[in-house]
Amino acid sequence: MVEIPNSKNVLRYAFGKGALQSLEKILKPKRAEKGAGVVYFLDIYFQDKNLASSLPVEKGDLLFYYDSTHEPKTDYIDGLRDQILGSIGEPCAIVGLGGGCTLDVAKAVSNLIPNQGKSEDYQGWDLLSKPGIFKVGIPTISGTGAEASRTCVLMNLKKNLKLGMNSEFTIYDQLILDPDLTASVPRDQYFYTGMDTYIHCIESLNGSFRHPVGDAFSREALELCREVFLSDDMMSDQNRQKLMVASYLGGCAIANSYVGVVHPFSAGLSVVLGTHHCVSNCIVMNQMEEFYPKETKEFHFMLDKQKINLPKGICSTLNEDEMERLYLSTVIHEKPLTNALGSDFKNILTREKTKLIFSSF
Amino acid sequence: MVEIPNSKNVLRYAFGKGALQSLEKILKPKRAEKGAGVVYFLDIYFQDKNLASSLPVEKGDLLFYYDSTHEPKTDYIDGLRDQILGSIGEPCAIVGLGGGCTLDVAKAVSNLIPNQGKSEDYQGWDLLSKPGIFKVGIPTISGTGAEASRTCVLMNLKKNLKLGMNSEFTIYDQLILDPDLTASVPRDQYFYTGMDTYIHCIESLNGSFRHPVGDAFSREALELCREVFLSDDMMSDQNRQKLMVASYLGGCAIANSYVGVVHPFSAGLSVVLGTHHCVSNCIVMNQMEEFYPKETKEFHFMLDKQKINLPKGICSTLNEDEMERLYLSTVIHEKPLTNALGSDFKNILTREKTKLIFSSF
């Protein structure tokens, strides 16, 4: 008999304009129970935005700004853990407030504190043995699904690997989904990130590992993405609300399924060139006619409709050694590539073809 | 500022053919932790079906068959609680395996054990102060959403009231969603129950209290219901799987919203005539042209397509006293009627009009 996965949900979510104000009430019992501080991770974008002053930061808490220009690295997570334990000891709660990277940093640190060792020890599937510190996720941009997914993606430069701590312990205990927080996102970034939901949902629905609950989440998330990105004002109040729901559902979907061809290529770009996850995804999606013809066409239409600037020619000046690294850091993603292309995916994505696709970016 | 609800999910769900076999593994740590027995509630339908022998029932466990011919009553729940505590003490887990009524019985008993008193004390909104006993829900028919909702509906005959214990503590901790279990459901019953999802989703989406996450769940649940009930074989393997997903999502939706006009009328039929919830819903839905014209038309089409027998004339011989009781047990449902018709709903659903609608059943 095939083992049936026991899927875990985010336990609680507060959704709505102004939901951020729920945070104090949510943290109160945790502070009382453990008598310890709270650690906040905020996207660096908020450093000069006065947001911290509206958060319930108390004496004995720690607040870090995370520079999301680059994606989080395993060594960085290890260092954060050491710094926290050395300064306030084990916190009662960890709050991640930002985009996918910041949410992932909070998840990774939460996991690493009770599980000890190094974060690279937990890159893979179900390697954590203990639940992390109680964690609250507050996305400030919609699309990565990091708020609901069972992974936190980390770059491991030594191993040339971009891989998450895939575990049910990685899932947030509480979300605050406040569409007011996404109002000031730059348009291009809003599009790239929203498209992360679109892309992982079309990858899931076209894959061979299917899950009826995952499929339902993916379909509805896709429908919401279409409503947002085919409309005239993708950032209206209502559309920012819809995209926040899409991102959450997309994250729930991905917890029950795998991505496909886009994410491995995108991971290659991130590892070798340092390109950010969401823009990488879009750069790849733009050239996916062969694997996802209908969806690539729709993607092109949305890109035009929203007048989004997509970087071009990013691999045009790379040397053979860099192309080889791109190839290797793509085909290392066996699970999603098997999901999309079958176990003989290397016969389809040959070294030559993979490099040809990269050169088209 | 409007208070933002903190929505709670079912923590875990195991979905798939054969998922029932996960139960032993799920109960094991609970048995070990508490050294106490498990209480099972099975729908009486399974009494001669040999299902109990495939369940992990151990010495010191209790197994009850619930007769779902009638909906659960508050006094009955109180008696069950006393019987359990008097025989094995506080159990480590409660398992509900059956339709919506059986799932609701398991939820109500789980709530009542630590909260004490009488179950009627908790009919209403957020009246429970403690989490119930760890509970596992295993639906054997799809549609009520009882597996995911935050209520367990009980009949209170003394108060002429059909009302649930609405509380986040009522939500199951674990679901086992195994579409194999719905294969032997009679066709009419399969339709009536599946339509419960359809009906509460159209009520939510037409209501004024909206929640973007609830809306997304409702839309996808409705889409799945349409695929199932507009297809030629509504009980195919794939359709039973889809309807199980729809029911789960519909339950998640209802946790974030309210029902509308159908459920209060349906509750009236259940309280006064003892008609079962799902068939009552269908009897009401059949006459809802005024309130839900498009959906009523679609309902008629599905009813014809699936060649379902719907009881007719059930109020045709009632006397004035019975009609008055029907009216009173409908308009008592202020929240859903306000959701559907506004706070002056009694001006629309006058005594006369309400009775006229009942007489059309």
Side-chain angles (χ1 to χ4, degrees), chain A residues 1-19 21-22 25-26 168-169 174-175 177 211-217 219-220 223-224 227 241-242 245 248-249 252 256, chain B residues 1-19 21-22 25-26 168-169 174-175 177 211-217 219-220 223-224 227 241-242 245 248-249 252 256:
Chain A
M1 177 206 156
V2 181
E3 173 102 19
I4 304 277
N6 200 1
S7 308
K8 189 181 155 204
N9 282 317
V10 168
L11 186 60
R12 289 189 177 80
Y13 57 94
F15 189 105
K17 280 170 77 73
Q21 293 182 50
S22 319
K25 197 172 154 189
I26 286 162
E168 71 161 46
F169 296 132
Q174 170 80 55
L175 297 179
L177 301 171
H211 187 290
V213 180
D215 284 1
F217 285 137
R219 289 206 313 184
E220 178 61 21
E223 204 45 45
L224 289 162
E227 289 176 10
Q241 188 164 277
K242 281 185 182 177
V245 178
Y248 170 64
L249 297 182
C252 296
N256 280 320
Chain B
M1 178 206 156
V2 181
E3 172 105 19
I4 303 279
N6 200 1
S7 309
K8 188 182 155 204
N9 282 317
V10 168
L11 187 59
R12 288 189 178 82
Y13 57 95
F15 190 104
K17 280 170 77 70
Q21 294 182 50
S22 319
K25 196 171 155 190
I26 286 163
E168 72 159 45
F169 296 133
Q174 169 81 54
L175 298 179
L177 301 171
H211 187 291
V213 180
D215 284 2
F217 285 137
R219 290 207 312 183
E220 177 62 20
E223 203 45 46
L224 288 163
E227 288 176 9
Q241 187 164 281
K242 281 185 181 176
V245 178
Y248 169 65
L249 296 182
C252 295
N256 280 320

Side-chain angles (χ1 to χ4, degrees), chain B residues 166-221:
Chain B
N166 292 277
S167 161
E168 72 159 45
F169 296 133
T170 304
I171 296 170
Y172 273 107
D173 301 291
Q174 169 81 54
L175 298 179
I176 295 179
L177 301 171
D178 185 342
D180 281 351
L181 294 170
T182 67
S184 63
V185 176
R187 277 182 59 84
D188 282 356
Q189 192 56 36
Y190 179 87
F191 181 89
Y192 302 151
T193 310
M195 273 297 145
D196 197 3
T197 293
Y198 179 88
I199 292 167
H200 59 238
C201 290
I202 66 115
E203 287 178 290
S204 293
L205 289 173
N206 283 290
S208 58
F209 297 126
R210 301 289 286 278
H211 187 291
V213 180
D215 284 2
F217 285 137
S218 289
R219 290 207 312 183
E220 177 62 20

Side-chain angles (χ1 to χ4, degrees), chain B residues 144-162:
Chain B
T144 66
E147 65 275 30
S149 74
R150 65 194 299 284
T151 192
C152 51
V153 182
L154 302 175
M155 305 281 281
N156 188 330
L157 297 183
K158 271 177 300 184
K159 295 187 181 169
N160 207 31
L161 184 67
K162 177 177 172 176

Side-chain angles (χ1 to χ4, degrees), chain A residues 113-128:
Chain A
I113 290 176
N115 283 282
Q116 306 183 327
K118 293 184 159 198
S119 43
E120 68 172 25
D121 303 339
Y122 305 107
Q123 285 186 293
W125 276 265
D126 302 312
L127 301 171
L128 293 157

Side-chain angles (χ1 to χ4, degrees), chain A residues 60-79:
Chain A
D61 292 353
L62 282 181
L63 192 148
F64 295 92
Y65 285 102
Y66 176 70
D67 182 356
S68 54
T69 321
H70 301 289
E71 301 195 310
K73 317 230 167 5
T74 47
D75 291 347
Y76 173 73
I77 300 299
D78 300 347

